[in-house]
Amino acid sequence: MKLSVFRLSYWNRRGSSFRSSPSLDHSFDGKSPSSVFWLVIHGLCCLISLILGFRFSHLVLFFLFSTSVTNLYTTPFLSAGSGGVSQLLRLKPLETATNSTARKNSRVVVGRHGIRIRPWPHPNPIEVLRAHQLLVRVQKEQKSMYGVRSPKTVIVVTPTYVRTFQALHLTGVMHSLMLVPYDLVWIVVEAGGITNETASFIAKSGLKTIHLGFDQKMPNTWEDRHKLETKMRLHALRIVREKKLDGILMFADDSNMHSMELFDEIQTVKWFGALSIGILAHSGNADELSSVLKNEEGKRKEKPSMPIQGPSCNSSEKLVGWHIFNTQPYAKKTAVYIDEKAAVMPIKMEWSGFVLNSRLLWKESVDEKPAWINYLSLLDDNEEIDSPLSLVKDPSMLEPLGSCGRRVLLWWLRVEARADSKFPPGWIIKSPLEITVPSKRTPWPDSSSELPAAIKEAKSDTKPRGSNSKSSKGKLEQKAFNGVKVSTTS
Amino acid sequence: MLPLPSSFMGSKPSHTSPVDMKIRSCLSAILLFLFFSASSSEQNVRTERISGSAGDVLEDNPVGKLKVYVYELPSKYNKKLLQKDPRCLTHMFAAEIFMHRFLLSSPVRTRNPDEADWFYTPIYPTCDLTPTGLPLPFKSPRMMRSAIQLISSNWPYWNRTEGADHFFVVPHDFGACFHYQEEKAIERGILPLLQRATLVQTFGQRNHVCLDEGSITIPPFAPPQKMQAHFIPPDIPRSIFVYFRGLFYDVNNDPEGGYYARGARAAVWENFKNNPLFDISTDHPTTYYEDMQRAIFCLCPLGWAPWSPRLVEAVVFGCIPVIIADDIVLPFADAIPWEEIGVFVAEKDVPELDTILTSIPTEVILRKQRLLANPSMKRAMLFPQPAQPGDAFHQILNGLARKLPHDKSIYLKAGGKELNWTAGPVGDLKPW
């Protein structure tokens, strides 16, 4: 409706302005020869436009009757609706009778305008770079305006020891910590004493680190391991007390995975906070998972339990209890030794799910220390603490983090290699490899006759990474290996 | 709180010299100043206060500065129209209806017309919608004319000034020109009967027939509750550089291109559709409001008319508006310094839009964002129900108050006539 009225009115206006040119000054009263003539011309133009695909009449009239052409844009472009190519021109302002009555002179003209397209359509890379810098600056400003007011130092406690997967785990934790935008102190407690291996690793981070040695070696069973790790963490807490470190203390086990939002969230802790941890005990072995689920479904037709360990709140956002990972389905099949191919279970309350204000550990009575905190002597090595909850007299005073435990901000997973697996120190291969095994198919077609000469038997002291190993230490089960095999706990 | 020592102020020294008194008064002034500056710096978010060309006018309270009398028109001019089509309450021209409701219960309303400074006619000329929801303006001139005939015959106040102290809310595309096509609107011009009245309209373009000198430009209506329901936390980082959702070509009404938006929207599309910094498309995403809060710049180009609700949305969501409309007059332009808040790009400069936007200095952008974060800015753009201090209703009243007192010359001598009651197209003279 609008279109037809529009086009008709436009044509009328063009026609009337044209007609008011000096030669023709008729009043429009029907079949005068000139009007018929113009009708015929109009029909011809329409036909030509049909064939060509654009409004040919526009062009003709424009060229014939406009006196000044300003800014003629002849960039062709494919219009969205029609298929043909149309030339886009800026038409003169309509100098009709109606406009002359206007008192003001508008700079902006009504009518058809050209669509300006610049010849080089691609963005300038310097401008793109500048735009990204702007984005970064705006986000920084946002963070300072709406983010954490006065960020506290984050004190991270990590127990570790030298083993094959140490590099894997520590790299993950180290990179997460390097991305944290707040001040950080990283306390690394190493079982078996301080080694150069670990020291050189954490020195690469560029963070402020405190490297502590702990004199016992890591045992082989998971239960003993958890106990030793607890002791190592307490040792770190002792150092925090001695050095009077101030900030927010969190436990980052080297096998955990942390999200960046975690570090923003823990800044909101006043005294003692609790987080939700995602327990990835299922990972690795899909058969395990399905068998577990089948067993469960046999008993009661329920969905598999939620693998979260953390605080749970009622509808008024108050802490009412704890989600614990249900270890029942795994009762028979949990791993006892480090390298068993069974699922490793987390302890009831993982340390990494708790965050505390380091002032709670200080010796002298700080004024604002709440009454529901136990005093840890931390002097006695034999103190049996299984979870940080023993620090608190009243567990309901804990602050649940991550919108009351609904957001999972870190994940727990224990993956370790065999206890006897070897790896090159510092992961640098200094001397040539001791054992070379011929591959079944060589990529070079002419070398099939030359087998590598150095097929030596394994020497007793330096063993390869688990390949062809027959002897093992003591009580472990024998498994046949072909090539490198690392037992993952699934 | 800086506690002023009571002994300091309350002591009445009988033997102190005048110099002592002067020192004490200076000290107390300094203490007072420090006290006030400390309390004002307690604001959590660093925002900047907008000082317009007339000072801090956004926070003016119009109550007591003017009195408005609301005519009692038969409901066929207002309520019946609304009953016929309740969609009038949610489209972008709903300001006329909400203004009526606001004035009925506002303290500036007076029931005594003899003491009123301004007279308001509750008429809803844009409440005549097509099935798809677009308003048809064809009957509006006749409706307006019939309303004016009614008030001029039933009350003496129209005739004594021929409407110079009356105001009308005409939020349609081209205001009181009552047409959606610009050429037709220019042809008709402002309705002759309204030429002496003050028009409160959304359309504003300098040197245009449809914008009268003393008109008050208002923002188009955008539903406040709907927008407030889509707020996201302000610490979510802004990661989109330029954002726009809407038509670039109006294929129904302008198939060849070049008429719609004077070719500006098409130019934006053609030049920047492949530019990764520009998130522009014709989608209708459900996360439109959330996306605006994640963008730094929001384009507000003209369409068939130069104004659009995008400006209101950009201001409410803290996105810097990039206004591409030559000679546009923005809402409350005498109270809000739009140059400091938005970016103005001439239509001929659209192909260089990326260069223009990336060459704005960082400090300027941060300042604009701080100004936009000011809650008084957002309040001034909205029409909330019920009305709140500082909102668009109050800004309209402020604008009307600033035009007071009326010049004595508006009062016509007895029997004088300035308006031509038979001017305009013949179709307008038919009774409604």
Side-chain angles (χ1 to χ4, degrees):
Chain A
M1 167 218 48
K2 189 167 173 172
L3 168 67
S4 52
V5 164
F6 196 37
R7 285 171 72 134
L8 200 58
S9 72
Y10 188 78
W11 172 250
N12 278 341
R13 192 156 304 120
R14 289 298 300 180
S16 64
S17 73
F18 169 72
R19 272 188 217 118
S20 62
S21 63
S23 53
L24 305 154
D25 207 5
H26 300 257
S27 62
F28 183 75
D29 62 331
K31 306 286 179 186
S32 53
S34 54
S35 60
V36 168
F37 172 66
W38 286 116
L39 266 175
V40 167
I41 291 282
H42 177 46
L44 256 177
C45 288
C46 281
L47 272 175
I48 299 174
S49 310
L50 262 177
I51 298 167
L52 283 178
F54 64 95
R55 281 181 71 165
F56 170 75
S57 54
H58 264 206
L59 259 178
V60 170
L61 288 171
F62 179 72
F63 278 124
L64 284 178
F65 294 111
S66 69
T67 50
S68 67
V69 176
T70 55
N71 286 335
L72 186 79
Y73 275 83
T74 53
T75 320
F77 96 106
L78 275 107
S79 67
S82 61
V85 173
S86 58
Q87 302 244 345
L88 302 160
L89 317 162
R90 164 94 74 91
L91 300 176
K92 247 172 66 80
L94 306 166
E95 67 257 276
T96 57
T98 56
N99 248 350
S100 62
T101 58
R103 308 174 294 280
K104 323 155 215 188
N105 230 345
S106 176
R107 261 190 335 135
V108 181
V109 296
V110 183
R112 194 151 182 233
H113 290 248
I115 300 174
R116 296 157 198 260
I117 302 174
R118 62 191 195 191
W120 180 248
H122 303 295
N124 184 346
I126 300 179
E127 284 166 15
V128 173
L129 185 64
R130 171 106 178 86
H132 284 286
Q133 286 167 350
L134 270 173
L135 280 169
V136 165
R137 182 71 186 85
V138 164
Q139 286 176 11
K140 192 165 136 215
E141 185 76 16
Q142 267 187 289
K143 216 176 161 68
S144 74
M145 279 227 286
Y146 302 108
V148 180
R149 250 334 91 191
S150 47
K152 300 200 201 123
T153 310
V154 178
I155 305 168
V156 184
V157 172
T158 304
T160 184
Y161 69 105
V162 177
R163 76 262 194 212
T164 310
F165 274 25
Q166 186 200 30
L168 168 71
H169 294 313
L170 264 191
T171 310
V173 173
M174 189 171 83
H175 284 269
S176 304
L177 295 180
M178 280 159 78
L179 282 176
V180 172
Y182 311 111
D183 291 330
L184 201 108
V185 176
W186 192 15
I187 304 181
V188 180
V189 190
E190 193 174 348
I194 296 186
T195 60
N196 276 342
E197 179 106 11
T198 317
S200 58
F201 206 91
I202 48 184
K204 280 191 272 185
S205 68
L207 299 167
K208 184 158 173 274
T209 54
I210 300 176
H211 192 181
L212 303 172
F214 201 75
D215 280 329
Q216 299 175 26
K217 288 191 76 171
M218 268 295 185
N220 254 351
T221 57
W222 283 110
E223 212 188 305
D224 295 333
R225 197 170 269 218
H226 288 141
K227 287 206 182 93
L228 185 65
E229 280 172 3
T230 308
K231 285 199 194 139
M232 285 167 33
R233 292 188 189 106
L234 291 177
H235 181 57
L237 295 186
R238 202 171 302 136
I239 300 294
V240 169
R241 171 183 288 175
E242 271 171 29
K243 296 207 171 174
K244 300 258 265 172
L245 295 176
D246 188 17
I248 307 227
L249 203 128
M250 62 162 289
F251 300 99
D253 296 345
D254 57 1
S255 54
N256 287 356
M257 282 139 273
H258 312 89
S259 70
M260 285 300 113
E261 289 83 17
L262 169 70
F263 298 100
D264 294 327
E265 190 70 23
I266 60 178
Q267 292 281 343
T268 60
V269 163
K270 263 193 83 208
W271 289 115
F272 211 112
L275 295 160
S276 282
I277 314 178
I279 304 290
L280 300 174
H282 286 303
S283 73
N285 206 338
D287 297 336
E288 279 280 335
L289 171 59
S290 55
S291 68
V292 162
L293 288 178
K294 250 192 280 207
N295 276 346
E296 236 181 88
E297 268 172 47
K299 289 185 210 153
R300 2 135 232 196
K301 296 265 178 170
E302 271 176 31
K303 285 196 243 178
S305 52
M306 207 165 53
I308 304 280
Q309 198 186 80
S312 101
C313 298
N314 63 4
S315 49
S316 59
E317 307 295 319
K318 281 182 64 67
L319 183 66
V320 289
W322 301 93
H323 286 300
I324 304 278
F325 187 66
N326 187 6
T327 55
Q328 272 300 353
Y330 302 90
K332 293 286 157 43
K333 300 196 213 105
T334 59
V336 174
Y337 296 103
I338 294 293
D339 32 13
E340 277 184 66
K341 261 185 90 168
V344 182
M345 287 295 113
I347 56 178
K348 223 170 83 152
M349 283 272 121
E350 282 285 338
W351 280 80
S352 34
F354 293 95
V355 183
L356 51 138
N357 191 340
S358 66
R359 286 176 189 236
L360 292 178
L361 300 166
W362 290 3
K363 245 188 215 143
E364 7 352 300
S365 55
V366 187
D367 279 331
E368 308 98 29
K369 215 167 167 178
W372 41 268
I373 298 288
N374 266 333
Y375 177 70
L376 266 188
S377 66
L378 286 181
L379 293 173
D380 201 355
D381 257 343
N382 296 332
E383 210 166 329
E384 281 296 315
I385 300 183
D386 55 354
S387 88
L389 281 180
S390 51
L391 263 178
V392 233
K393 284 185 207 142
D394 182 8
S396 64
M397 295 298 288
L398 284 182
E399 303 152 40
L401 297 174
S403 62
C404 215
R406 278 189 283 270
R407 280 176 66 194
V408 175
L409 298 165
L410 71 157
W411 294 269
W412 177 97
L413 167 67
R414 293 313 292 251
V415 178
E416 292 295 346
R418 278 170 58 101
D420 62 342
S421 64
K422 294 273 188 279
F423 63 99
W427 287 97
I428 296 173
I429 300 174
K430 288 211 179 80
S431 46
L433 293 176
E434 297 287 338
I435 296 271
T436 46
V437 178
S439 63
K440 295 198 172 62
R441 230 173 258 110
T442 56
W444 303 279
D446 54 341
S447 65
S448 54
S449 49
E450 326 159 1
L451 284 174
I455 305 177
K456 297 182 203 150
E457 263 304 318
K459 296 204 195 105
S460 57
D461 50 351
T462 55
K463 286 217 182 96
R465 287 175 239 102
S467 68
N468 291 338
S469 74
K470 294 181 186 58
S471 70
S472 56
K473 299 195 179 88
K475 347 163 189 118
L476 301 171
E477 291 176 71
Q478 292 262 7
K479 293 211 176 130
F481 295 105
N482 194 4
V484 180
K485 195 149 180 126
V486 172
S487 71
T488 64
T489 56
S490 53
Chain B
M1 294 276 289
L2 263 156
L4 295 168
S6 54
S7 60
F8 184 77
M9 298 302 287
S11 62
K12 273 215 162 77
S14 47
H15 300 295
T16 49
S17 58
V19 178
D20 248 353
M21 291 290 290
K22 273 196 196 147
I23 294 174
R24 278 175 200 256
S25 56
C26 280
L27 277 173
S28 61
I30 292 171
L31 275 172
L32 270 172
F33 169 69
L34 284 171
F35 165 66
F36 279 118
S37 63
S39 57
S40 66
S41 65
E42 264 167 44
Q43 277 190 346
N44 277 335
V45 177
R46 268 182 284 131
T47 59
E48 279 189 35
R49 291 166 64 81
I50 303 171
S51 22
S53 49
D56 243 345
V57 286
L58 280 183
E59 277 139 40
D60 279 352
N61 189 0
V63 175
K65 293 197 189 155
L66 77 164
K67 291 209 189 306
V68 177
Y69 177 73
V70 182
Y71 283 124
E72 298 267 335
L73 285 188
S75 59
K76 72 168 178 171
Y77 291 99
N78 32 52
K79 290 209 189 73
K80 286 233 179 81
L81 291 172
L82 193 53
Q83 272 165 9
K84 249 195 325 191
D85 198 345
R87 286 179 301 176
C88 292
L89 275 175
T90 49
H91 68 345
M92 53 182 146
F93 309 105
E96 53 186 8
I97 303 174
F98 291 120
M99 190 70 190
H100 182 204
R101 293 188 180 178
F102 165 70
L103 283 173
L104 283 177
S105 54
S106 156
V108 303
R109 181 193 184 188
T110 166
R111 303 219 185 236
N112 177 7
D114 286 311
E115 60 169 15
D117 301 306
W118 287 101
F119 294 84
Y120 171 66
T121 317
I123 177 175
Y124 305 159
T126 24
C127 197
D128 182 13
L129 304 182
T130 64
T132 53
L134 297 172
L136 289 176
F138 302 120
K139 297 204 199 129
S140 312
R142 291 161 50 198
M143 174 157 62
M144 193 60 94
R145 197 189 157 77
S146 119
I148 295 179
Q149 271 171 341
L150 196 78
I151 49 177
S152 64
S153 49
N154 289 358
W155 287 276
Y157 307 103
W158 176 273
N159 288 330
R160 78 175 174 185
T161 57
E162 293 252 283
D165 53 358
H166 290 58
F167 72 93
F168 294 85
V169 180
V170 280
H172 195 245
D173 280 356
F174 289 96
C177 293
F178 291 121
H179 211 277
Y180 49 79
Q181 273 178 37
E182 192 165 358
E183 290 165 333
K184 276 268 151 122
I186 295 177
E187 219 183 288
R188 296 178 60 102
I190 298 183
L191 198 69
L193 291 177
L194 292 177
Q195 271 168 1
R196 285 168 66 89
T198 297
L199 296 172
V200 178
Q201 59 188 53
T202 47
F203 171 74
Q205 188 174 312
R206 282 191 279 278
N207 300 327
H208 198 277
V209 177
C210 297
L211 179 68
D212 202 10
E213 288 281 330
S215 301
I216 298 176
T217 356
I218 60 170
F221 178 75
Q225 297 92 341
K226 195 162 146 217
M227 291 202 283
Q228 273 151 9
H230 285 270
F231 273 136
I232 59 176
D235 59 343
I236 294 202
R238 289 190 186 256
S239 46
I240 304 176
F241 193 62
V242 177
Y243 187 76
F244 176 75
R245 289 287 181 273
L247 288 177
F248 299 102
Y249 295 96
D250 188 352
V251 281
N252 296 323
N253 300 315
D254 175 27
E256 309 153 334
Y259 292 100
Y260 179 56
R262 295 197 274 267
R265 286 195 184 198
V268 168
W269 174 250
E270 295 300 332
N271 282 305
F272 301 113
K273 60 188 175 195
N274 293 321
N275 192 326
L277 294 173
F278 282 67
D279 185 356
I280 56 179
S281 87
T282 51
D283 269 352
H284 278 277
T286 46
T287 55
Y288 176 58
Y289 290 142
E290 286 86 347
D291 289 341
M292 272 189 140
Q293 293 171 76
R294 286 178 40 228
I296 298 187
F297 291 107
C298 289
L299 295 184
C300 304
L302 72 161
W304 286 110
W307 56 269
S308 93
R310 281 185 186 85
L311 183 68
V312 177
E313 289 160 359
V315 168
V316 168
F317 293 126
C319 181
I320 301 177
V322 178
I323 298 154
I324 309 174
D326 285 345
D327 282 350
I328 187 174
V329 175
L330 290 175
F332 307 129
D334 52 346
I336 300 179
W338 286 104
E339 286 284 330
E340 296 178 33
I341 293 167
V343 179
F344 288 82
V345 177
E347 285 166 34
K348 64 176 171 55
D349 292 330
V350 163
E352 278 96 50
L353 190 59
D354 55 349
T355 313
I356 295 172
L357 291 180
T358 51
S359 61
I360 302 178
T362 318
E363 271 317 307
V364 172
I365 293 185
L366 291 177
R367 176 157 189 268
K368 286 187 204 272
Q369 291 196 318
R370 280 198 293 271
L371 283 170
L372 280 169
N374 196 341
S376 69
M377 187 58 212
K378 300 185 209 269
R379 271 199 302 263
M381 288 280 116
L382 293 174
F383 293 95
Q385 304 302 315
Q388 286 157 16
D391 64 7
F393 298 117
H394 291 92
Q395 304 302 332
I396 298 175
L397 291 179
N398 280 337
L400 289 170
R402 284 195 284 272
K403 297 183 83 177
L404 291 175
H406 291 298
D407 197 34
K408 289 282 176 250
S409 61
I410 62 169
Y411 295 102
L412 302 174
K413 302 180 203 39
K417 261 191 169 333
E418 292 241 351
L419 293 179
N420 183 355
W421 281 74
T422 53
V426 180
D428 284 357
L429 300 177
K430 284 195 270 195
W432 183 71

